[in-house]
Amino acid sequence: MKNSIMLAVVLSATFALNACKQNPSETSQSGNTESIAVKGNAEEAKLTSPPLVPEPIGNRAAKKLIVRLETIEKTGELSDGTQYNFWTFGGTVPGSFIRARVGDEIEFHLKNNENSTFPHNIDLHAVNGPGGGAEATFVAPGKEAVFNFKALNPGLYVYHCATAPVGMHIANGMYGLILIEPEGGLPKVDKEFYIMQGDFYTKGKYGDKGIQEFDMDKAIAEHPEYVVFNGKTGALLGDNELKVKVGENVRFFVGNGGPNLTSSFHIIGEIFDKVYIEGGSKINENVQTTVIPPGGASIVEFKATVPGEYVIVDHAIFRAFNKGALGKIKVVGDDNPKVYKKNN
Amino acid sequence: MRNLIYILVLFFSISCSEKQDQKQPKPVSRILTPVADTKKMQKIEGGSYKPFVGKETDSLVKVKTFYLDETAVTNAEFLTFLKANPQWTKSRVLRLFADSTYLNHWKGDYEIPEDVSPEAPVTSISWFAAKAYAESVGKRLPTVDEWEYVARADENNKNAAATPEFTQRILQLYQQKLMYKKPVKQSNPNIWGVYDMFGTIWEWTEDFSSVMMSGESRKDNTTNETLFCAGASVTSSDLKNYAAFIRFALRGSVKADYTINNLGFRCARDAEN
C-alpha cells in the first residue's frame, strides 16, 4: 500500500518535472516572480461572498496583503426546505473569494470560530510550500493561526480544508477560490462573477425535507444526492440569477470543490470566447464546454450578444436536472436579430 | 528534576506578578488540596484492541483493567475543586497552565454561567487543570488507549467499532451543536455503564499528544512515520472510521494550555491488584 503510494508520488513528480521542461517560457515567467519587490504599507484584503468578486488589482504594484478568513460551522439551506450542517470558510459555500496579484506577500490569518466543534486548516493551491499552508494553519476551535507566503504563480486556484477526514471536510463545503492576477492585472471586462460547484452526500434522497446529515457511505461510493453551484440548488436562480446587459463582456471565475465529481461546465446558448484552461495562463478560444476537476478551476469569458435567460449547467446533464447543478444568467437589452432571430 | 523546574517556574511567575501588580492579593498556595469525590466509576475489564493510528497497527495493544468515571466531570464538581484550590480559579490560574479563554463563560471565579447546567460537563479548561483536578480527587486522566478502548462499545457490545452504523451514529452525534451546555447523561450508558462518550464534548486524555497529527493530514510527517498519508492514513487500521479520524485530528490540534468551549474531561483510576 505504502509502496504503491510512493510510486504514484514519484511518477507524478516525474510528470510534473517533464511538464515544466516542455514549457520553458512559462517556467521562466513564474521563476522571476520571486524577486518582485513589495511596495507601500501592509493592507487588509477585502474578501467577497459568492457570486461577487473583489475589485480587480489593476496596475498596482505588489504589496503586503493581510488576509483574514474564519472557519464557521453553520446550518444552512441546501435546497428549499432541506437544511445541512455546512462547514465553511467565511460563512458561505464556497468560501470568501480572495484576490491578489503575483508578487504579493500575503500574511494569512486562519481563525477557527469559537463555536466550532471541529479543528480545521487550509490548503491554498496558490501556495508554494508544504501542504499549501495546511500544516501551518491547523487550528483548534477558538484559535487562530498565521502564516506567510509570496504569490509566485498567477492563476485561479482552489483552497480547501485538509484536516482528517479530509473528504468529509470538503464534502461539507470547505472550499473556495483565490485569484492571483498577473502583473498589470487580467484584461478589463464589464462583469465578473464567482461560481463554484460541489457535490453533497445526504442521508435522505434528493428533495427530502428537513435537516440532512452527511452520509459517509454515499461519499465513499461517490454517489451524491446533490450537485450544486454555490452551495445550494437555488443559489443562481430566481432572485439570485446573475444579470448582465447586451454587449457586456462577462467573466466567470469557476471552481470545483468536489469532493468527487468532475464538472463539464457549460452555458446553454453561449460559447466561451476565452477559457483560461485549468485556471492557468494558457487561453483557449471558442469553447462550448470546459472540464473542471475537483480541486481545479477555470476562468471563462463571453460576450453577451443576444438578450434572454441562459442556463448554467454541469453538462453531465442528469446532475443539472435531477441533482441541482443549475443556474441562470439573464441578459437584458435590445434584440439582436442579425445574430439570433426566432421565426414564427 | 522535572518537579524542580516546575517549582522554579512557579516561583518566578509568582514573584514577577507581585512586583508588577501591587493590588494583586497575597499569592495563593500552589499546593494541591485534596477534594472528596463521590463520582461513580465503572470497572473496565482489560483486554487488547487494535489501535486506530500511531502505533504498529498490525499488532494489538493491551489495556489493563481500570476504572473510568461514568460521566465527564461537571461544573458543580469543578466548582468544589476550585473552592479548595483557588490557585486554579480564572483570576489566579497561571497563564502557563491555561490560555486566556480558561473558564471563559464563567462570570467570576466561583460563578457557573447561567445558561449552562451545573450538571453539564466543565469545559474551557486546560489539560493542566484537568490533570490537577484528577490528582486532587486521587485519580488520573485516562490514556488515549483506555479512552478509545471504551469508545468502541455501544449499549450491547464491548466492541461495536466494526459495524458501519456505529460510526455513522457517532458522526451524527458529533454534528450536534452546543451540547456542552446540557447535563451529563444525555444518552444511554454503553455496555460498561459509561455515559456520553460521543456527541457532548471532546475529552482530554493523559497522553493526547503522543499520537501527533500534523495539520497536513494527507502525508507522512518525517518526525513520525506512522502518520497520515495521501488523502487518509495508510497506517490507520480503519480507513472508514471517520469518527476516530475526527477525534485524533482534534487531539492533534490542541496544546496542553488550550481551553475550548467543548473540551472537558473525565477521570480514571488503576484497578487494585
Side-chain angles (χ1 to χ4, degrees), chain B residues 158-201:
Chain B
K158 288 176 183 173
N159 183 9
T163 46
E165 305 81 51
F166 182 65
T167 300
Q168 189 65 41
R169 212 176 95 205
I170 297 169
L171 288 181
Q172 272 169 36
L173 290 170
Y174 281 172
Q175 300 263 339
Q176 299 170 299
K177 285 280 175 197
L178 301 176
M179 290 299 284
Y180 69 89
K181 295 188 175 187
K182 297 192 176 164
V184 293
K185 300 193 181 176
Q186 284 293 313
S187 57
N188 293 326
N190 67 18
I191 197 168
W192 300 109
V194 172
Y195 291 85
D196 307 327
M197 291 297 276
F198 309 111
T200 57
I201 53 165

Side-chain angles (χ1 to χ4, degrees), chain A residues 112 116-120 137-144 163, chain B residues 99 101 124-128 144 202-215 246-264:
Chain A
N112 190 353
S116 290
T117 306
F118 306 94
H120 299 294
T137 57
F138 191 33
V139 274
K143 303 295 171 190
E144 182 177 307
T163 301
Chain B
D99 66 13
T101 52
S124 293
I125 42 94
S126 64
W127 177 85
F128 292 109
V144 170
W202 304 117
E203 295 183 16
W204 285 111
T205 44
E206 178 69 34
D207 54 342
F208 70 94
S209 60
S210 65
V211 181
M212 284 304 291
M213 182 136 127
S214 68
I246 288 171
R247 286 195 297 279
F248 280 93
L250 192 281
R251 286 177 192 136
S253 76
V254 294
K255 291 178 185 154
D257 65 330
Y258 276 23
T259 63
I260 300 177
N261 269 343
N262 56 9
L263 178 57

Side-chain angles (χ1 to χ4, degrees), chain A residues 3-330:
Chain A
N3 283 341
S4 62
I5 285 173
M6 275 307 293
L7 185 65
V9 168
V10 170
L11 279 177
S12 48
T14 318
F15 277 124
L17 285 173
N18 284 337
C20 289
K21 277 179 203 152
Q22 282 159 11
N23 297 311
S25 59
E26 277 168 36
T27 324
S28 60
Q29 194 195 340
S30 55
N32 291 336
T33 57
E34 205 178 321
S35 56
I36 296 176
V38 291
K39 294 203 177 93
N41 295 327
E43 208 176 289
E44 195 97 9
K46 289 182 188 72
L47 313 186
T48 57
S49 300
L52 304 177
V53 295
E55 291 291 306
I57 63 115
N59 258 328
R60 75 163 172 82
K63 65 183 174 192
K64 201 159 190 249
L65 208 57
I66 299 162
V67 175
R68 292 178 201 278
L69 199 54
E70 186 171 8
T71 55
I72 301 168
E73 299 161 9
K74 64 182 224 186
T75 306
E77 292 273 311
L78 176 57
S79 184
D80 271 349
T82 305
Q83 293 84 37
Y84 191 79
N85 289 317
F86 292 102
W87 300 355
T88 74
F89 287 104
T92 55
V93 178
S96 309
F97 194 97
I98 306 165
R99 193 164 193 163
R101 62 151 280 176
V102 75
D104 278 353
E105 291 176 11
I106 297 168
E107 179 183 300
F108 198 100
H109 296 245
L110 187 70
K111 175 157 183 15
N112 190 353
N113 188 277
E114 60 173 14
N115 291 320
S116 290
T117 306
F118 306 94
H120 299 294
N121 64 2
I122 193 167
D123 168 353
L124 298 132
H125 291 179
V127 169
N128 289 283
E135 282 184 60
T137 57
F138 191 33
V139 274
K143 303 295 171 190
E144 182 177 307
V146 186
F147 84 109
N148 292 72
F149 72 96
K150 189 173 178 74
L152 300 182
N153 304 66
L156 181 61
Y157 298 93
V158 167
Y159 65 76
H160 63 89
C161 186
T163 301
V166 182
M168 186 175 175
H169 283 255
I170 295 175
N172 285 340
M174 297 199 80
Y175 44 76
L177 291 179
I178 174 169
L179 173 69
I180 307 297
E181 293 199 56
E183 181 130 33
L186 289 169
K188 206 178 165 324
V189 291
D190 300 303
K191 291 270 166 63
E192 292 181 325
F193 296 106
Y194 170 21
I195 299 175
M196 205 157 176
Q197 184 172 320
D199 24 304
F200 286 87
Y201 302 83
T202 55
K203 195 94 194 141
K205 286 201 175 334
Y206 177 85
D208 283 4
K209 303 294 178 200
I211 181 108
Q212 291 295 323
E213 281 143 10
F214 168 71
D215 189 304
M216 192 182 75
D217 291 328
K218 286 181 187 174
I220 293 172
E222 305 189 13
H223 290 151
E225 292 294 335
Y226 292 85
V227 182
V228 297
F229 296 124
N230 290 0
K232 65 175 182 181
T233 55
L236 300 174
L237 294 174
D239 291 343
N240 303 321
E241 72 180 18
L242 307 175
K243 290 176 194 77
V244 299
K245 295 188 192 104
V246 168
E248 283 186 320
N249 280 307
V250 184
R251 176 182 288 145
F252 283 1
F253 297 103
V254 193
N256 187 0
N260 288 320
L261 301 189
T262 295
S263 175
S264 305
F265 190 76
H266 178 82
I267 300 179
I268 299 173
E270 271 297 345
I271 296 155
F272 302 134
D273 301 322
K274 276 189 191 177
V275 172
Y276 292 72
I277 305 163
E278 295 169 350
S281 306
K282 271 236 155 58
I283 295 172
N284 196 0
E285 292 174 343
N286 308 317
V287 176
Q288 54 189 314
T289 300
T290 191
V291 171
I292 311 175
S298 184
I299 303 171
V300 303
E301 294 176 9
F302 58 93
K303 186 173 181 179
T305 41
V306 177
E309 275 192 324
Y310 294 83
V311 179
I312 305 161
V313 296
D314 177 342
H315 214 295
I317 212 70
F318 280 101
R319 297 177 192 168
F321 297 113
N322 298 81
K323 295 186 171 180
L326 205 74
K328 274 186 182 174
I329 179 165
K330 189 174 187 172

